[in-house]
Amino acid sequence: MLGAGFGGLELTTILSDAFGDAIDIALIDKSDTFVFGFSKLDVMFGRRMPDNVHHSYRDIVKPGVRFLQSTVRSIDPLARRVVTDDGTFEADVLVVALGADLDPAATPGLMEAGNEFYSVAGAFALRDVLPRFERGAAIIGVTGKTFKCPPAPSETALLLHDYLVSRGRREATEISVVMPFGTPIPPSPETSQAILAAFAERGIRFVKDSLVKALDAGRKVAVLSDGTEMPYELFLGVPVHRVPQVVVESGLAADAYGWVPVNKKTLETNFPGVYAVGDVNGVGTAKAGVFAEGAARVVAAAIIAELRRGPSPEAYKGDGTCYIEFGNGQVGKVHVDFLSGPKPAGTFHGASEALFAEKTHFGASRVERWFGVPSATPE
Ligand SMILES: Cc1cc2nc3c(=O)[nH]c(=O)nc-3n(C[C@H](O)[C@H](O)[C@H](O)COP(=O)(O)OP(=O)(O)OC[C@H]3O[C@@H](n4cnc5c(N)ncnc54)[C@H](O)[C@@H]3O)c2cc1C
């Protein structure tokens, strides 16, 4: 099992529950801890302390599972052989769940004259940057067409609004969101309308169908895909996403932007016994933890069916529910079904405090299932 993110943790947990010691899973990740994507926003806006959002892989004590902290250096999908810094592994079934890599250097000026909030380090560093933002324009800018958690830039704008109001700095500042879509959440017009209404109420500008191509450090302007320039004081970027290089080199993906092709129903790659789960695949869902989790369940069911010689499991549906922070302690949610209809369709549930509590439970229940320990409660 390569990668202990949303996909890897869910798959490992299901297989351990099903087979216990009768299975031998090597769960390999270069990191020593897991951090939820949404915890990055919590830390950046000072809602949680960095120490409270790391979940240590050392805590995984599950029958049949060995966690190895090591970097995957090469994958041979034909032989199902993996070389890591700490040895070579051969597998009967190989699951690649290495996620999407971030490439901030692909956007000129982003590293020198801006910030990114998609990596753990980038989001945590903003905890010290945001308090220094006193006046002027803030841009939340997307730099590539494919990015994880499409609601995250909008959530960031709404949370930044609250943060600036609480510091008494909102009137001296402007907030804009630059996104490559025509609406914030294209598969769900209702969700998009609710977000755009929240933006309008708070004076947040939505710049649609645009990407930030570069930051000009000298002039402090963001250059958009159509050449428009937007001055800024604070730039919060979503970096370019790419297929991890080790996956490209394995032949599972054609190039850095060609997400691993899979059978849409089974998530099997072109190589027998090799599956790609979560952000790394090109199945056609949004890139989000809930879709990685759903994909992991389908692959787990296939492995269980194969080992128990049971009937083939149901096909992957490509659906999932994302929570969306609206600020003011309110959370909405959208259920999106990407694969069963002719086009992706979403159902929106309006923002409420009850959904804030539901989102908290969503995170806590995963920590308990995956790590077997109750999660630290938000302070
Ligand atoms: C700000 C933000 C907010 C988000 N909010 C939400 C949300 O509310 N809901 C939601 O569902 N999703 C959310 N997401 C998206 C979510 O975090 C990802 O889509 C999800 O983690 C994808 O799961 P995955 O298993 O495919 O990959 P990941 O969780 O990214 O896991 C991949 C793992 O592979 C490891 N890895 C990579 N390369 C190597 C290598 N060479 N060797 C060893 N290990 C390696 C990494 O260390 C990592 O642990 C958010 C993301 C961000 C950035």
Side-chain angles (χ1 to χ4, degrees), residues 277-300:
V277 160
D279 288 354
V280 78
N281 74 29
V283 74
T285 63
K287 297 202 180 300
V290 287
F291 298 108
E293 211 180 81
R297 290 192 192 124
V298 167
V299 174

Side-chain angles (χ1 to χ4, degrees), residues 2-9 28-31 33-41 57 70-73 97-102 117-119 148-149 152 155-156 241 244 246 277-280 287-293 321-324 359 362:
L2 308 185
F6 253 93
L9 289 167
I28 303 173
D29 201 292
K30 63 185 173 189
S31 178
T33 59
F34 171 76
V35 175
F36 284 102
F38 51 72
S39 298
K40 294 171 187 166
L41 303 184
Y57 292 130
S70 194
T71 299
V72 174
R73 296 294 176 188
L98 293 173
D101 268 3
L102 302 174
F117 62 98
Y118 259 51
S119 70
K148 308 186 221 200
C149 194
E155 294 179 284
T156 302
H241 287 39
V246 69
V277 160
D279 288 354
V280 78
K287 297 202 180 300
V290 287
F291 298 108
E293 211 180 81
T321 298
C322 288
Y323 295 98
I324 304 172
K359 179 184 170 184
F362 170 87

Side-chain angles (χ1 to χ4, degrees), residues 352-367:
S352 67
E353 280 172 22
L355 287 179
F356 190 99
E358 196 180 295
K359 179 184 170 184
T360 307
H361 173 74
F362 170 87
S365 62
R366 270 50 185 185
V367 172

Side-chain angles (χ1 to χ4, degrees), residues 67-320:
F67 175 76
L68 173 72
Q69 187 186 353
S70 194
T71 299
V72 174
R73 296 294 176 188
S74 78
I75 304 166
D76 176 345
L78 253 186
R80 295 192 291 274
R81 186 181 304 117
V82 172
V83 178
T84 73
D85 281 349
D86 296 275
T88 299
F89 295 78
E90 283 184 13
D92 297 317
V93 177
L94 179 63
V95 182
V96 180
L98 293 173
D101 268 3
L102 302 174
D103 187 6
T107 306
L110 177 56
M111 314 270 274
E112 305 77 31
N115 312 274
E116 58 83 14
F117 62 98
Y118 259 51
S119 70
V120 171
F124 288 17
L126 276 161
R127 198 180 163 84
D128 300 322
V129 172
L130 293 181
R132 298 200 296 268
F133 177 51
E134 296 284 334
R135 60 182 55 78
I139 300 176
I140 293 129
V142 177
T143 62
K145 280 199 173 130
T146 302
F147 59 100
K148 308 186 221 200
C149 194
S154 302
E155 294 179 284
T156 302
L158 293 165
L159 294 175
L160 180 62
H161 168 87
D162 279 6
Y163 174 84
L164 292 170
V165 169
S166 74
R167 284 186 39 224
R169 303 310 308 168
R170 184 63 183 100
E171 273 157 29
T173 54
E174 292 144 38
I175 304 176
S176 306
V177 182
V178 179
M179 292 241 300
F181 313 140
T183 57
I185 308 290
S188 174
E190 259 184 299
T191 313
S192 295
Q193 259 167 31
I195 292 175
L196 290 175
F199 282 178
E201 263 169 40
R202 293 161 177 79
I204 297 170
R205 184 173 162 219
F206 181 68
V207 181
K208 62 179 184 175
D209 296 323
S210 299
L211 289 171
V212 173
K213 289 315 249 183
L215 299 185
D216 183 331
R219 294 188 300 131
K220 274 226 150 163
V221 294
V223 184
L224 308 195
S225 32
D226 66 356
T228 309
E229 294 188 346
M230 288 176 68
Y232 69 88
E233 206 48 52
L234 174 71
F235 186 85
L236 305 178
V238 175
V240 168
H241 287 39
R242 55 155 297 163
V243 180
Q245 185 59 20
V246 69
V247 176
V248 176
E249 284 165 8
S250 74
L252 282 162
D255 59 56
Y257 304 104
W259 304 97
V260 177
V262 287
N263 175 324
K264 279 193 190 328
K265 293 186 173 145
T266 63
L267 299 148
E268 197 167 18
T269 67
N270 297 330
F271 298 86
V274 182
Y275 296 86
V277 160
D279 288 354
V280 78
N281 74 29
V283 74
T285 63
K287 297 202 180 300
V290 287
F291 298 108
E293 211 180 81
R297 290 192 192 124
V298 167
V299 174
I303 295 171
I304 292 171
E306 193 184 322
L307 295 181
R308 291 190 176 147
R309 300 190 205 293
S312 298
E314 272 186 41
Y316 180 53
K317 293 199 183 71
D319 67 337

